Amino acid sequence: MATPLKDLGKDAIAEKGWFGAHKYLILRRISQIGIIALFLLGPWAGIWILKGNLVSSLVFDTVPLTDPMVFLQMLAAGFVGVGSTAIIGAVIVAVFYYLVGGRVYCSWVCPINIVTDAAHWTRRKLDIRQSAKLKPSIRYYMLALVLVVAFATGSLAYELVNPVSIVNRGLIFGMGFGWAALAAVFLFDLFVARHGWCGHICPMGAFYGLIGAKSQLRVRADGRANCDDCMECYEVCPEAQVIPPAVKSAPDGSPVILSGACTNCGRCIDICPNYVYAFGLRGLALVTPPTIDVQPETGANPQGAVTAKEKQIA
Amino acid sequence: MAAEDRNPGTPLARLASRRKFLADTGKTVAGVGIFGLALGLYSSKTDALPATALRPPGALPEPDFLAACVRCGLCVQDCPYGILKLAELGNDVSTGTPFFTARTGPCEMCEDIPCVPVCPTGALDPKMTDITKSRMGLAVVVDQESCIAFQGLRCEVCFNICPVRGKAITLEYSANKRSGHHALFVPVVYSADCTGCGLCEKACILEEAAIKVLPMRLAKGELGHHYRLGWEQKNQAGEALVTPDVEHKFNLPEGVHYDYSGRGLYVDQPGVPPPAPSPAPGPGAAAPGGSDFPFSANPLDSLNSKMPGAQ
């Protein structure tokens, strides 16, 4: 039966310990903050491991990395004489995310993710339930719009307001009113729409979702037989619509979370006390789930509970 | 609505779902479109670079630069003098793009130009390898009233600090009319050599610099494209490009002449020498034959011809 919100994560902590139940969350925070720290090591300590910012950088002054979405915007803006460094950099980044999942950028790299996660956490603590009904597909319209505006203005217009690059660049080079952009995203996610920015609006999420739609690294629900419908993964998942096709499909259906919208954040793996989820490859389970004797509570209607909760989330 | 109407198979339900789809799509497109319109307007507002913001050396012309610069800040981090900044949200400069301000931090004109090759996209043109060829702006002596050189005082700081010394800024001498017996040493900037580095503006000793580096679009005038300067055309062609005026012939009786310089018609008189020829016409004019040219090179001669005391 669905776990009450106030008990969220308690079963997982009881089963795996606090660190075990927050493993990927901690690793993601280390990754997100560590990347910014590497960028700051240069200007602050003179140690140039990463130079530039997330939009375009140099690793050890040699390997170029360029955000392929900004690269696309340049082409749309009509700049065709792009330097080879940017092309090589964009290819490296695109191939990386093609393999590990595009939205790994969202949950392991993007600094805004910390902000929207904080908004979601606050939302839960304040028990804010109302949310504007936005369609997750808005982001694809946004992505198209970003390219259209670049074409129409002949400049990287979206980069003027893109909170992702404003915050990342601001931390390294000076924020200006960038804090306002940060606050706007936080307040939007807190009061206007649940998972509003990352799950519905952000065109970068849309772009990286498309890049990584066929990625090899995937969350797999090989232990779905263990699922006792506690619904905790739905509560923590930033893109909860990706779960049911893997967990609740017919027995012969794929247990792999196939949607490109999945950010590979691993919160479902952390929060699940019954080891339903694990990272694996698209065609290969890397972890064998333990068999747990699940005893559904009497009177519970797992299938019905899921449907009701799903509706509430979507 | 009856239950069977909501059954996905019925025509009514299909119509309803089609309506819902169209309404949802319309809402999304309208919302996203309004955002796009606002973004486009905001972007066009920030397209105009403020006059005090100068781009790094080798920057493409501004419209191309805004399409090419990804705002990564690699040029900023590779500037050994730390003069470059990335515009912050709220600055007048397009957010995230690099610029410097001459008065507070001018370009020191490194010979290896480290900010240029590090640019991943070519927004700073990799063909820019000679820093003296860069054109970040153009120094302009904007205020002759406060520049002390124009008051007859010796300053010459801008002249001496200039990295293209003696070419981009020269000192030109003229009489000091105030004292009557001193010279003015006045700085004059030549766009053929000025890189717009801003060292002169930084060095100007005034409270507010009298020499300022302005973006080219503000600093330079431009002659109408149809204009041709006659002397340049003549030099290029090696000869005058207009047909010389045909020498004017008067049908005068024998022994009667016409003096163009004012005497008018006269008749040869034995024993009296012919009058001195009129002043030679200017070098650009058509070559007339001898004193028979009908006009003086000096138009005042004709105007004054009837005045008492005229030649």
Side-chain angles (χ1 to χ4, degrees), chain B residues 143-275:
Chain B
D143 189 6
Q144 304 190 355
E145 291 178 349
S146 57
C147 172
I148 62 168
F150 285 84
Q151 321 308 317
L153 302 168
R154 300 290 299 269
C155 172
E156 296 152 31
V157 166
C158 56
F159 168 79
N160 283 311
I161 197 98
C162 177
V164 201
R165 188 171 180 276
K167 286 184 182 162
I169 302 180
T170 62
L171 290 177
E172 310 213 338
Y173 318 130
S174 58
N176 183 340
K177 287 181 186 152
R178 179 182 56 80
S179 72
H181 54 275
H182 294 99
L184 302 181
F185 294 79
V186 165
V188 178
V189 182
Y190 289 90
S191 63
D193 286 295
C194 175
T195 63
C197 68
L199 282 163
C200 54
E201 181 178 339
K202 170 87 193 302
C204 180
I205 60 149
L206 302 184
E207 288 288 317
E208 177 72 42
I211 188 166
K212 287 187 168 130
V213 177
L214 302 179
M216 279 295 175
R217 71 192 150 88
L218 295 181
K220 282 293 280 178
E222 191 169 1
L223 197 62
H225 292 284
H226 60 288
Y227 259 77
R228 298 292 178 270
L229 299 176
W231 55 95
E232 284 182 358
Q233 298 296 313
K234 191 181 168 193
N235 280 344
Q236 271 175 27
E239 57 177 347
L241 297 177
V242 288
T243 318
D245 287 340
V246 178
E247 192 184 329
H248 191 82
K249 296 263 190 239
F250 291 95
N251 192 11
L252 297 173
E254 187 120 356
V256 179
H257 300 276
Y258 190 86
D259 174 32
Y260 307 115
S261 48
R263 223 165 63 161
L265 277 177
Y266 67 92
V267 181
D268 274 348
Q269 295 190 357
V272 178

Side-chain angles (χ1 to χ4, degrees), chain A residues 15 24-25 62-63 90 98 129 142-143 151 164 174 184 189 193 197 206 209 221 230-231 234 244 277 297 299 309:
Chain A
E15 170 71 23
Y24 289 109
L25 185 64
T62 42
V63 184
Y98 177 80
R129 304 202 176 200
M142 285 289 289
L143 178 58
F151 176 77
V164 178
D189 265 32
W197 179 259
C230 73
M231 304 303 298
Y234 286 86
Y277 303 99
E297 288 167 45
K309 189 80 178 202

